[in-house]
Amino acid sequence: MEKLIITVALTGAEVTREQQPNLPITPDEIAEAAYECYLAGASIAHVHARDKDGKPTQSYEVYKEIKEKIEAKCNLIFQPSTGGAVYHTFEQRKQPLELNPEMATLSAGTTNFGSDIFVNSEEYIEKFAKEMKERGIKPEIEVFERGHIANALKLVKKDLLDTPIHFDFVMGVPGAIPGGIDDLLYLVNHIPQGSTWTVAGIGRYELPLAVHAILMGGHVRVGFEDNIYYKKGELAKSNAQLVERIVRIAKELGREIATPDEAREILNIKK
Ligand code: KMH
Ligand code: ZN
């Protein structure tokens, strides 16, 4: 089985300091948390920027500062969000692509997102895909619903997305696909052969889905964006604590951990 790529979703757009006192917010905090996760075994940092008040921002300058600060510490793959927060406009969301990062997220469809709606019209999806293809950025296709896989395959047909595709199954968002193992099997069984996939289970779904992904040959995303708890009723101390647990479990199950350069090779990313 190929080595395990661990992505850490450090901050997200929704979690607050009130909910998770150790949430990294400033560029320095995000870079330090990313470095701790790198030392723990992560190879990709999924990043959402925050402004001076701690609010989600898609500002080019803030993403640039975070990218440079992470790169000064380690060779993690920097993967900015183009999803942002539900209220960000398309123009705001695409700003981090101007940094030509190695990777970026590309949400493959609209979904209910708790009481909000996360809008990804066909027009947005195609524009993001085109921009990433032109810039040589490897997209991570965010799948929140079953139909999003078909949307991604449509991009391939239109020559806006190269194969093999790398998917991230975001599972257990209230209003979107549930976080059951049968749901994961459905998704894995409906992507083209040769694709790579990772799973981001939300809240209590994070750990069981991660363990199944390790066993099934998929990859794993953990971090405060998706889950702020270590276990029921106990907040995690840090993003790194969540990464460390995945590393321990993977090793027990005989799955080796990919370094960032090994992750680049697995994902066909040219540095
Ligand atoms: N914050 C969500 C509305 C992504 O990063 O690409 C969207 C999101 C997806 O987190
Ligand atoms: Zn995100």
Side-chain angles (χ1 to χ4, degrees):
M1 230 182 247
E2 85 199 341
K3 290 190 180 180
L4 180 72
I5 300 172
I6 302 174
T7 300
V8 61
L10 296 156
T11 304
E14 291 80 25
V15 179
T16 64
R17 269 275 164 79
E18 286 66 45
Q19 296 167 314
Q20 172 43 273
N22 300 318
L23 184 74
I25 287 181
T26 65
D28 281 315
E29 288 167 355
I30 292 174
E32 186 54 33
Y35 181 57
E36 285 172 18
C37 292
Y38 161 77
L39 294 178
S43 46
I44 301 176
H46 172 64
V47 172
H48 284 254
R50 299 286 180 106
D51 67 16
K52 295 235 165 355
D53 301 320
K55 302 254 160 10
T57 175
Q58 287 296 102
S59 154
Y60 168 85
E61 280 75 23
V62 185
Y63 274 101
K64 182 168 185 282
E65 194 179 342
I66 298 169
K67 180 173 183 282
E68 288 172 356
K69 288 194 155 139
I70 293 176
E71 282 171 357
K73 288 175 185 287
C74 59
N75 75 336
L76 271 175
I77 299 170
F78 175 74
Q79 183 202 78
S81 170
T82 64
V86 288
Y87 50 81
H88 283 135
T89 63
F90 172 77
E91 291 302 323
Q92 289 171 323
R93 285 171 55 179
K94 79 182 195 19
Q95 288 185 76
L97 297 182
E98 286 161 32
L99 288 163
N100 291 329
E102 292 179 270
M103 267 188 120
T105 53
L106 199 176
S107 293
T110 296
T111 183
N112 279 28
F113 198 83
S115 53
D116 293 312
I117 302 172
F118 180 37
V119 176
N120 293 289
S121 62
E122 189 172 53
E123 182 195 345
Y124 280 21
I125 298 168
E126 290 185 1
K127 279 187 174 163
F128 277 129
K130 188 165 182 285
E131 183 91 16
M132 290 191 210
K133 189 167 168 130
E134 283 170 2
R135 291 178 178 272
I137 301 167
K138 171 86 180 183
E140 177 178 275
I141 301 295
E142 307 299 302
V143 170
F144 294 84
E145 279 293 357
R146 291 177 172 196
H148 296 180
I149 293 174
N151 292 347
L153 300 185
K154 219 165 150 184
L155 292 176
V156 176
K157 267 207 172 135
K158 293 190 174 181
D159 202 25
L160 294 169
L161 177 65
D162 293 332
T163 56
I165 306 173
H166 179 59
F167 292 94
D168 177 29
F169 303 136
V170 185
M171 303 182 65
V173 172
I177 193 166
I181 304 310
D182 53 339
D183 302 296
L184 177 64
L185 287 176
Y186 177 92
L187 296 175
V188 173
N189 287 332
H190 286 81
I191 56 176
Q193 261 204 330
S195 304
T196 49
W197 60 273
T198 190
V199 67
I202 303 302
R204 66 194 162 92
Y205 299 109
E206 182 173 88
L207 189 57
L209 286 169
V211 174
H212 281 77
I214 293 168
L215 291 168
M216 290 162 68
H219 302 281
V220 170
R221 179 173 112 171
V222 291
F224 288 167
E225 171 166 350
D226 303 330
N227 168 44
I228 58 175
Y229 291 97
Y230 189 73
K231 56 184 173 202
K232 193 167 184 221
E234 184 183 318
L235 287 171
K237 291 191 183 72
S238 63
N239 279 289
Q241 188 190 22
L242 297 170
V243 173
E244 284 160 7
R245 171 165 61 183
I246 297 302
V247 170
R248 280 197 306 274
I249 294 171
K251 285 187 173 163
E252 285 291 327
L253 294 172
R255 189 97 189 261
E256 287 181 65
I257 310 299
T259 63
D261 280 341
E262 288 167 340
R264 287 181 176 95
E265 215 165 286
I266 293 167
L267 299 173
N268 294 308
I269 294 173
K270 297 147 218 88
K271 206 179 175 187

